[in-house]
Each structure stands twice: as structure tokens, then as C-alpha cells.
């Protein structure tokens, strides 16, 4: 005999159940065979066959016989009577050994009445099915429904009753009572389905209404567009804004605010004083690039090419930029700190930003921050002001029209705080990747996502960049160019560009190498190439005039012809003098425009030991002066008295930045030692380095710029702090080759290198 555990099935004596042959095999572990006796066990819970235990079953089961069995299709089991499970033991192979006995019942059902009521229920089911797709199938099935018990077996899957409720039917001893309860269960089930389908159709109607409404709206929109296209002149201002607003793809907050303002505009009418302001605002809102621009695939090779196309040299800078591009490619967004290009004017900081944009295939936009003092310049003015405007950031985004441009924030070192708030803190918010995805400009007043913008800052000096801003940035130094590099830039870029800008065809004008060198040497004095570019433009403009007069001519510009092409006299070049005088020493200064030489002049006059410092360096120099005096007194003890009955005057002509005061330490000490000993230092020897009171020479900044300035000015020997030696790698070889560079660690070494005797009795010079 097979045992079949069943869950939630209405298997009642007198009925029949149908199941797939495959399910029969799984439930009984046997192949279905006609005539097989089966005990249908009622499971309490929905358990898999291998989880079943002796406790899984209700005490009453049903005995049945397989009446039809098609191995590949269905099995029909006729159910005979209830049995009581007297004993059940679980066997190891998931089967159960059990002893059952027939469970008696009271047959109090009137067969005629039962037949009548069964027919009624059957009719009710069939009428419910009428018109449905599956009506035919159900009718053919219903032909076999000869009793309420059979109907129960067939309808079981569609009923919502619980296992307990179903089992309660089986547990009922009176057949009549069981019949009544089953009839009620079936009719209730039908009602439930009826109610459900009514609810569903009501819901369907609602949906249909909604679909219809949106379809009508779309139609109206479409027709309106058609009309607008036929008569563009009639499209009202408001309608135009409305269309733009809906199409811009902006975020929910922006769209809501936009609709609000549009409604206000509709209410105001176009003649109201506010209308212009509202329209301007809506114009900006709808013109912003709300839709995310697709990031282009970046090829490193193309990026390298784009960077090299417009700029010669700058290898270190380009390498660093390529690293940033590689990270951008891997991570898909700008990560870490913002790049900040620092260097003298005309060293290519801004223009390389443009090349980066080209390398990435993005738009380029430059936002100048020079002279920005007001927070509103960055973040916009509130809309309540007449003439209020968006800030420079949103304005930049508006101008370039894409959400992911390369935005160069020019001159971050020229920001300054004022009573109108601190623009630097507003800028911090712009640059912070944690915040800038919802940057809110005061004028726009809705958040705009700046997270796809690639920001690059430029500055001439780090000294004036506010500290918190500087912390966010990664500084990349742009040193000035050596004459050789300038020559290359002029030849490869500036001259060809200048020629094509004025329309001189190739071959019509040739400029000799000597002429270019002469322009660099005599007509410019700068660390970058801005002046050089102007001179090249000037040269080409002058040539253009000649070529217009005589189109056949081919112009050759050599060093001799050059003055005819320049509209200025050669710049007075500060060259080191020839005659050496005690007390005057050549020093070097770093300035935002590159390096420069300066002479430190000292003089002792009869007096009472006062120290006077004149020139630009003021107080910073005063401290260095005092240290220098002490050091000289220490190194030249027999000259110490001089400082008691003389006044010391130090003068530093020409300006350099105050920061440079300490780096003139060794120059000052040397000048004083030279003054008191009477040993002159050749003007072609220059030096830079801080000194401590112990006489150590400490490292300084800006060495590359200083060495280039030294070489430009004709210096041949340089003393530098020993700790700065590693900076020499960054210096172009032609600059290094032109200089004899002596690293020094102490002031004694300085004096020794210059042949100034110390700690000895030296001839009285004064
Ligand atoms: P900065 O922003 O540093 O002041 P710019 O980027 O405005 O300098 O450069 C000034 C001019 O010099 C531009 O026309 C630029 O193309 C040119 N320039 C600067 N550096 C180079 C270089 N390495 N190669 C070619 N041209 C350069």
C-alpha cells in the first residue's frame, strides 16, 4: 500500500482527486499503477517529504484507490473512507510504517437532497465560468463531478481556507454536517472570487481612466507642438519657457521651483516689473545642462597627444596630468584633491587646462577669480535684489553648456575676504566632492550637481591662497622656462600660431634662430612666455604689412633686421655689474613673476651702533640684519668694535616679496663680512640661503626660478644651501652648465669659498 502525504487538499470520502503522475511519484515514491491502494495522510504543515516526521500528520487519513494511471499524464484516485492512524513509526528511508483502522461515520445525508444541492453548486460554478477563456475546459472537467466530494477535490486549489478548516471537514463524523460545511465553503469561495474580480475590474477601470488621461495629455502636447511649429511666431514667451522647463531634464526640486516661478509669471502678466526678472531666471534655469553628459572613453595615447600638441616641455607637469587622467578613467570621476597649477605668468597654466579638456574630449571653461572679494561672486546674489546674478561657477556652467566641463579657476591666489563674506569658503564648497553634488547658487536657489566638473586651479603664488583651500589641493609647480625652452616654444608654437593668426602663408616669412634668441634675450624679461608671444605677434603683424605691399616677397628676419620688426626698444636688462666693491653682494629673489637678482648694499657710518634698513624688505630684513651682525662679530672678533661706534645702513633696491627676507641671510652676512674686511665679492657671484644664529645655512624655496634668473643676468658662480641640492634635478641642463654651483652648509664655508678671511686679524679696511 502506498502512503501519500498531502497538504491543504480537500480529500474527502466519496470524492476523487487528480494529480500529475510526476507528483504522485514524488509523494509516494512509487510508480502509479491502476488498482493500487493509497493512504492519503493529511499534513499539518507545508513540509518537504524529507522533513516529515511521525508528528507531521493529523490522526485521520483517507483510504483511496488509484483508478486511472497514465504514467506520463495524470493519476485519478477515488477516495473511499476515513481511517484512523493508530500507530506510526518513521523508517530510515523517509517512509512510515503504520497501522490504521477504519474510522466510523454517521451517514445521515439524504441522497436526493445531496444530488440537488450538488447540481446547484455545479451550476453556480459553471455560470461563474461562463464567458471565460477556460469555460470549455472547466465544462469538460465538470462532467465527472458526480458528488459534492468530487467538486471539493477539483476546487481545492482555488479555495482560501486554512489547513485546519479543511481538516475540520474530514474530522466531522456526521456526513450531513460535513456536506453542509463543504457546501458553504465552496459557495463562500465562489463569492470571494466574484468580489475579487469585481474589485479588479473596478481597479482596471481606474487604470484605464488614468491611461486615457495621460494619452489625451500627450495628444494635446503633440498637437500644441505641431501648431507651434507651424506658427513659431505665435509661440508665447510663457509657452516657450514651459516647453523648455519640461524638457530640460532637471531634478525634482528644480522642476518644482521652476513651475512655481512660471505660475507666478503667468499670474503677473508680461508687463509687470517683476516679469523680466522671473523670465531671466527661468531662462537660466532651463538653459543649464541638467542632463548628465556622457563621459567619453579616454585613451591614454590620445590624451598624451593632446597634451603634447599645444605645449612643448613641461614633462613633469604632463606626467602628473596623465596620472590624474588615468585615475579619472579607472574611477570614472575626479578623485582626491584638486590640481592647482602654481607658477609665474605665461608659463602655460591656463592653456594646459584647455589641452586637458581636449585630451578628455570635454568642454573647457575658464572662471577668473582675480579680485573676487565677495562671496556672492562665487555663489550668486539672492533673487530679491534688482539686478541679481548667478555666481561665477553657475555662470561658467551656463556658458559651456555641459555638465562635465574642465573648469579652470584662474588666480585662486587673488581671492580676498571682505565684509561681504569669505569667497574662499564658498569655493571650498564648490570643490568638495562631498558637497558639490548639490551646490546651491543663491540666485538659482535650487541645487545643481557639480560632481562631474573637473576643477583645476591656477595661482602665481601659494602664499596668499587661504589655508583650508590649499589643503584641498595638490600643487603642481610650473617653473619658468630656460632660454632654450623658450626658443623651442617660440619656434614650435608661438611663431607658427602668430603667422596663421595674421594669415601669412608658410614659406613667406622665415625667422632665424639668432633672431629668436635675440627676442628672448633683449626684448623680454620674464619667466614665462607671454611677452615672447606678444613679440612674435608683433613681428608677424609688421611682416604682414610688407607682404601686403609686395605679395611676391619672401621675408627673412635675422638678428640684424629684428629691430625693424619690434615696436619697442630692447628692455633694459638687469645685468650684474663688472666692478666689485666691498659691502655689495649679489643676491637672488623669488617673485611671482619668476626669479630676479638684487644687490644687497651695506655701509658703515660713524654713529652709535644703530641699524637702518631701507628698500622693500623692511622688517623681515631687519631680523636677518641683526643675525648677520652677530655672526660677523663672531667670525671676525677683531672687527666687532666697528659695530659699536658706527651705524649700519642696509639697502635692498628693487622689490621682491617680503617672504624672501630670510633667504637673503647669507647674502647679507657676506656683504657685511666683505664690508668690514674690505674684501670685495665679484658681482658675478650670487648666493641664496637662510642663516641661523649658529651659522648654519638653511634651505630656501624657489631655487629653480632663482638659478634661471642668475643665469639670465650673467651670474657665473652660485652658492646654494647644501640641502637644496636635490632641487638641481629640476633645472634645465643649459642653466646648470652656465653656472658653477657650490653647495654650502655654514657661513664659514661661504666666506672660505669667497676667499674672505675670518677669525684672523685682517687688514683694516675702513
Ligand atoms: P599662464 O596661465 O601660466 O599665465 P598661459 O597658459 O596663459 O599662461 O600661457 C600664455 C601663452 O603662452 C599661451 O598662449 C600659451 O599657449 C603659451 N605657452 C605657455 N607655455 C607653453 C608651452 N610649454 N608650449 C607652448 N606654448 C606655451
Amino acid at each position: 500500500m502506498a502512503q501519500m502525504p498531502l497538504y491543504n487538499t480537500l480529500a474527502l470520502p466519496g470524492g476523487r482527486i487528480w494529480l500529475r503522475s510526476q507528483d504522485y511519484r514524488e509523494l509516494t515514491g512509487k510508480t502509479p499503477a491502476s488498482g493500487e491502494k493509497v493512504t492519503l495522510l493529511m499534513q499539518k504543515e507545508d513540509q518537504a517529504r524529507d522533513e516529515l516526521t511521525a508528528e507531521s500528520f493529523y490522526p485521520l487519513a483517507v483510504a483511496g484507490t488509484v483508478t486511472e494511471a497514465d504514467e506520463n499524464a495524470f493519476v485519478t484516485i477515488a477516495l473511499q473512507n476515513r481511517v484512523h492512524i493508530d500507530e506510526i513509526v518513521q523508517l530510515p528511508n523517509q517512509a512510515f510504517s503504520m497501522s490504521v483502522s477504519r474510522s466510523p461515520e454517521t451517514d445521515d445525508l439524504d441522497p436526493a437532497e445531496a444530488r440537488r444541492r450538488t447540481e446547484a453548486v455545479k451550476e453556480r460554478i459553471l455560470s461563474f465560468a461562463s464567458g471565460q477563456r477556460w469555460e470549455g475546459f472547466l465544462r469538460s472537467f465538470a462532467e465527472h463531478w458526480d458528488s459534492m466530494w468530487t467538486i471539493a477535490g477539483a476546487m481545492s486549489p482555488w479555495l482560501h481556507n486554512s489547513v485546519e478548516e479543511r481538516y475540520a471537514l474530514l474530522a466531522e463524523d456526521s456526513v450531513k454536517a460535513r456536506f453542509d460545511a463543504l457546501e458553504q465553503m465552496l459557495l463562500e469561495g465562489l463569492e470571494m472570487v466574484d468580489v475579487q474580480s469585481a474589485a479588479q475590474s473596478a481597479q482596471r477601470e481606474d487604470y484605464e481612466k488614468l491611461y486615457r488621461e495621460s494619452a489625451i495629455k500627450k495628444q494635446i502636447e503633440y498637437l500644441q507642438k505641431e501648431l507651434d511649429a507651424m506658427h513659431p511666431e505665435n509661440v508665447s514667451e510663457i509657452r516657450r519657457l514651459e516647453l523648455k522647463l519640461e524638457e530640460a531634464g532637471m531634478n525634482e526640486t528644480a522642476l518644482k521651483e521652476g513651475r512655481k516661478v512660471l505660475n507666478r509669471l503667468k499670474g503677473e502678466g508680461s508687463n509687470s516689473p517683476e516679469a523680466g526678472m522671473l523670465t531671466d531666471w527661468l531662462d537660466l534655469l532651463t538653459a543649464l545642462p541638467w542632463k548628465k553628459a556622457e563621459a567619453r572613453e579616454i585613451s591614454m595615447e590620445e590624451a598624451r597627444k593632446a597634451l603634447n600638441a599645444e605645449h612643448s616641455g613641461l614633462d613633469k607637469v604632463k606626467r602628473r596630468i596623465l596620472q590624474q587622467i588615468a585615475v579619472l578613467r579607472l574611477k570614472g570621476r575626479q578623485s582626491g584633491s584638486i590640481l592647482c597649477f602654481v607658477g609665474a605668468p605665461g608659463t602655460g597654466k591656463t592653456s594646459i587646462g584647455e589641452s586637458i579638456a581636449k585630451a578628455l574630449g570635454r568642454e573647457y571653461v575658464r572662471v577668473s577669480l582675480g579680485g573676487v572679494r565677495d562671496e556672492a561672486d562665487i555663489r550668486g546674489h539672492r533673487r530679491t535684489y534688482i539686478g541679481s546674478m548667478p555666481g561665477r561657477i553657475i555662470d561658467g556652467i551656463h556658458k559651456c553648456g555641459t555638465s562635465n566641463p574642465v573648469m579652470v579657476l584662474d588666480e585662486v591666489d587673488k581671492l580676498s575676504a571682505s565684509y561681504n563674506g569669505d569667497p574662499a569658503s564658498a569655493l571650498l564648497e564648490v570643490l568638495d566632492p562631498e558637497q558639490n553634488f548639490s551646490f546651491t547658487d543663491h540666485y538659482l536657489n535650487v541645487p545643481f550637481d557639480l560632481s562631474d566638473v573637473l576643477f583645476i586651479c591656477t595661482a602665481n603664488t601659494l602664499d596668499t591662497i587661504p589655508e583650508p583651500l590649499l589643503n584641498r589641493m595638490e600643487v603642481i609647480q610650473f617653473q619658468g622656462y630656460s632660454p632654450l625652452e623658450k626658443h623651442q616654444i617660440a619656434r614650435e608654437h608661438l611663431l607658427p600660431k602668430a603667422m596663421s593668426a595674421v594669415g601669412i602663408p608658410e614659406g613667406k616669412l622665415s625667422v632665424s634662430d639668432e633672431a629668436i634668441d635675440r627676442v628672448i634675450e633683449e626684448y623680454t624679461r620674464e619667466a614665462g612666455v607671454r611677452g615672447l608671444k606678444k613679440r612674435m605677434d608683433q613681428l608677424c603683424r609688421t611682416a604682414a604689412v610688407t607682404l601686403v605691399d609686395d605679395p611676391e616677397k619672401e621675408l627673412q628676419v635675422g638678428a640684424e633686421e629684428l629691430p625693424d620688426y619690434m615696436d619697442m626698444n630692447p628692455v633694459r636688462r638687469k645685468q650684474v655689474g663688472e666692478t666689485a666693491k666691498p659691502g655689495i653682494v649679489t643676491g637672488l629673489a623669488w617673485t611671482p613673476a619668476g626669479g630676479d637678482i638684487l644687490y644687497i648694499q651695506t655701509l658703515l657710518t660713524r654713529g652709535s651702533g644703530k641699524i637702518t634698513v631701507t628698500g622693500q624688505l623692511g622688517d623681515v630684513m631687519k631680523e636677518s640684519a641683526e643675525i648677520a651682525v652677530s655672526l660677523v662679530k663672531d667670525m671676525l672678533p677683531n672687527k666687532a668694535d666697528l659695530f659699536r661706534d658706527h651705524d649700519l645702513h642696509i639697502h635692498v633696491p628693487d622689490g621682491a616679496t617680503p617672504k624672501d627676507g630670510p633667504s637673503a641671510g647669507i647674502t647679507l652676512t657676506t656683504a657685511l663680512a666683505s664690508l668690514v674686511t674690505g674684501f670685495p665679492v665679484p658681482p658675478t657671484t650670487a648666493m641664496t640661503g637662510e642663516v641661523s644664529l649658529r651659522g648654519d645655512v638653511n634651505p630656501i624655496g624657489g631655487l629653480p626660478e632663482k638659478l634661471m634668473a642668475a643665469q639670465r643676468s650673467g651670474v657665473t658662480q652660485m652658492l646654494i644651501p647644501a640641502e637644496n641640492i636635490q632641487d638641481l634635478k629640476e633645472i634645465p641642463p643649459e642653466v646648470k652648465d652656465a653656472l658653477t654651483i657650490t653647495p654650502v652648509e655654514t657661513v664659514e664655508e661661504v666666506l672660505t669659498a669667497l676667499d674672505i678671511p675670518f677669525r684672523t686679524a685682517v687688514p683694516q679696511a675702513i
Side-chain angles (χ1 to χ4, degrees), residues 352-478:
I352 208 153
E354 202 170 344
S355 298
I356 295 176
K358 278 197 195 132
L360 297 173
R362 299 196 189 185
E363 288 297 319
Y364 164 80
V365 56
R366 179 171 166 267
V367 172
S368 173
L369 300 177
V372 164
R373 298 173 64 228
D374 196 334
E375 194 187 340
D377 281 329
I378 306 286
R379 221 199 275 272
H381 295 271
R382 291 193 192 281
R383 241 188 300 156
T384 40
Y385 292 110
I386 297 280
S388 54
M389 291 184 302
R392 294 192 189 193
I393 305 295
I394 286 295
D395 190 47
I397 295 283
H398 179 201
K399 269 194 212 131
C400 78
T402 61
S403 67
N404 66 349
V406 171
M407 186 179 277
V408 171
L409 302 171
D410 227 356
E411 308 195 305
V412 273
D413 53 337
K414 310 279 190 313
L415 280 180
S416 51
S418 72
Y419 62 93
N420 274 335
D422 181 4
S425 65
L427 199 58
L428 260 181
E429 200 186 309
V430 171
L431 298 178
D432 186 356
E434 303 284 316
Q435 298 185 48
N436 69 8
F437 60 88
S438 65
F439 172 70
T440 305
D441 181 278
H442 286 329
Y443 175 76
L444 199 60
N445 205 24
V446 291
F448 187 86
D449 184 357
L450 292 176
S451 61
D452 284 346
V453 180
L454 183 79
F455 291 104
I456 293 173
C457 300
T458 80
N460 291 141
T461 168
L462 293 178
D463 298 344
T464 50
I465 301 181
E467 193 65 34
L469 207 52
L470 196 56
N471 288 342
R472 282 236 146 269
M473 301 190 192
E474 182 181 332
V475 172
I476 298 185
Q477 290 282 356
F478 280 56

Side-chain angles (χ1 to χ4, degrees), residues 310-312 314 344-351 481 489 493-494 497 529-530 533:
E310 300 277 325
H311 291 82
S312 319
L314 296 175
T347 43
K349 301 180 298 296
T350 323
S351 51
Y481 297 112
I489 293 172
H493 299 278
L494 304 180
K497 271 190 209 156
V529 290
R530 235 177 234 181
K533 178 176 184 302

